[in-house]
Amino acid sequence: MKIIALKLPIDLNENTYEEMLNLCPRQRQLSIHKLQKIKDKYRSLFGELLAKWFISDSLKDPFQNIQFVLGENGKPHLAGGRIHFNISHSGDWVVVGIHNDSIGVDIEEVKDFNIYKIAKSTFSSEELMYLIKSPKANQIEIFYKMWTLKESWLKCIGSGFLVPPNTFSILNRRNRYSLEIPTEEFSKLKTLGLKIGNTSNYRFKLYHLGPGYPISVCINNGNENHFEFPDNIDIIELNSLMNGLKAL
């Protein structure tokens, strides 16, 4: 398993941007072109390229052979299913994780806003109580940690918006984050056709890219209790990615 992050450029030479864009499939180019804000274009473009470059290097397979397809609920998968990956971006960063089984990654840029309004509709009652009882000065940070943990699991199972986020909890039990789903909610999830399996098979890890960017990673690890997450996220310089892509 590996997790890498790339800081987006503030601005990019137009010719370089077009050169990078042409490395994407035509349909992907069109979807990126439709985005209104340049930063959204950069996030989408470099998320795609970083993931493909990363997977190409990991599998020792030519970049041109790396093709993504969308799953039933919109989660991208590697054609052929030889490895699993997930992409997340927020603010100035793009993050990619790969694993030999299902993986979900979520990064969020911390912003000061009315967190309680969102938490009341997206957190379980136990999560909400934990947030409210936390020291006031830490509540925004705690909110984002909890939010990214929940998003990472939803992305891991590829559920899209099928699973209401307030129907499950991810709580720190004995220094380990654990997924908890009430029996009645678990039964409902099965009717959606989601392959969730044993909740104890999911592992979670929190990282930070500076104080303003919490990152959560969730993997389905089966019964491999010996699994350990990487200690750190590998940060890739934009020039390294661009030079690597140009050398293909």
Side-chain angles (χ1 to χ4, degrees):
M1 179 193 188
K2 200 167 184 180
I3 309 160
I4 57 174
L6 171 75
K7 192 168 187 178
L8 296 172
I10 297 174
D11 194 14
L12 196 63
N13 177 279
E14 184 66 25
N15 290 335
T16 302
Y17 171 75
E18 290 296 332
E19 187 178 352
M20 297 293 103
L21 186 63
N22 287 333
L23 293 173
C24 297
R26 182 60 181 166
Q27 194 61 38
R28 188 68 176 137
Q29 292 181 39
L30 292 174
S31 65
I32 293 173
H33 182 70
K34 290 178 182 177
L35 297 172
Q36 297 299 313
K37 297 180 179 179
I38 190 63
K39 205 161 190 177
D40 289 335
K41 294 177 187 285
Y42 287 169
R43 291 185 187 111
S44 186
L45 172 61
F46 286 105
E48 174 105 357
L49 295 180
L50 184 63
K52 286 188 173 181
W53 183 57
F54 190 17
I55 292 170
S56 171
D57 181 66
S58 298
L59 296 178
K60 307 305 177 187
D61 202 0
F63 180 87
Q64 294 79 2
N65 291 352
I66 307 301
Q67 300 296 324
F68 294 164
V69 293
L70 294 180
E72 184 176 345
N73 297 311
K75 181 180 179 180
H77 295 273
L78 177 65
R82 292 162 291 166
I83 201 169
H84 296 256
F85 75 96
N86 199 224
I87 304 170
S88 183
H89 43 68
S90 182
D92 296 330
W93 290 91
V94 173
V95 180
V96 175
I98 65 169
H99 185 52
N100 57 13
D101 209 326
S102 299
I103 181 170
V105 178
D106 190 60
I107 178 174
E108 296 291 341
E109 180 183 14
V110 174
K111 297 178 180 179
D112 191 356
F113 72 108
N114 185 355
I115 58 173
Y116 309 106
K117 183 177 179 180
I118 301 296
K120 286 177 182 178
S121 61
T122 57
F123 284 11
S124 69
S125 57
E126 194 169 358
E127 288 172 328
L128 184 59
M129 187 60 64
Y130 175 78
L131 176 66
I132 292 172
K133 288 185 175 181
S134 299
K136 189 78 172 179
N138 299 337
Q139 286 184 358
I140 290 179
E141 179 185 1
I142 290 170
F143 168 84
Y144 275 98
K145 287 180 179 180
M146 296 172 73
W147 177 268
T148 59
L149 285 166
K150 291 170 79 69
E151 281 287 331
S152 71
W153 181 69
L154 291 173
K155 295 181 73 176
C156 182
I157 64 174
S159 67
F161 295 102
L162 287 175
V163 180
N166 61 355
T167 59
F168 66 92
S169 303
I170 300 172
L171 299 163
N172 194 332
R173 307 289 195 191
R174 298 178 182 176
N175 295 318
R176 173 179 166 179
Y177 288 101
S178 300
L179 171 65
E180 299 176 11
I181 307 174
T183 302
E184 64 274 16
E185 296 296 341
F186 194 82
S187 298
K188 291 178 184 178
L189 295 182
K190 283 188 174 181
T191 66
L192 299 176
L194 298 171
K195 297 179 181 178
I196 295 176
N198 193 329
T199 56
S200 64
N201 289 346
Y202 293 94
R203 303 281 190 273
F204 298 88
K205 175 78 172 180
L206 268 166
Y207 297 92
H208 287 87
L209 282 174
Y213 287 93
I215 299 170
S216 288
V217 181
C218 171
I219 57 109
N220 184 335
N221 206 51
N223 296 313
E224 297 182 33
N225 293 322
H226 63 277
F227 174 81
E228 292 186 8
F229 282 95
D231 290 332
N232 301 297
I233 294 175
D234 291 333
I235 297 177
I236 304 297
E237 297 293 334
L238 180 60
N239 285 339
S240 297
L241 172 63
M242 292 170 60
N243 290 336
L245 292 171
K246 290 176 180 179
L248 297 174

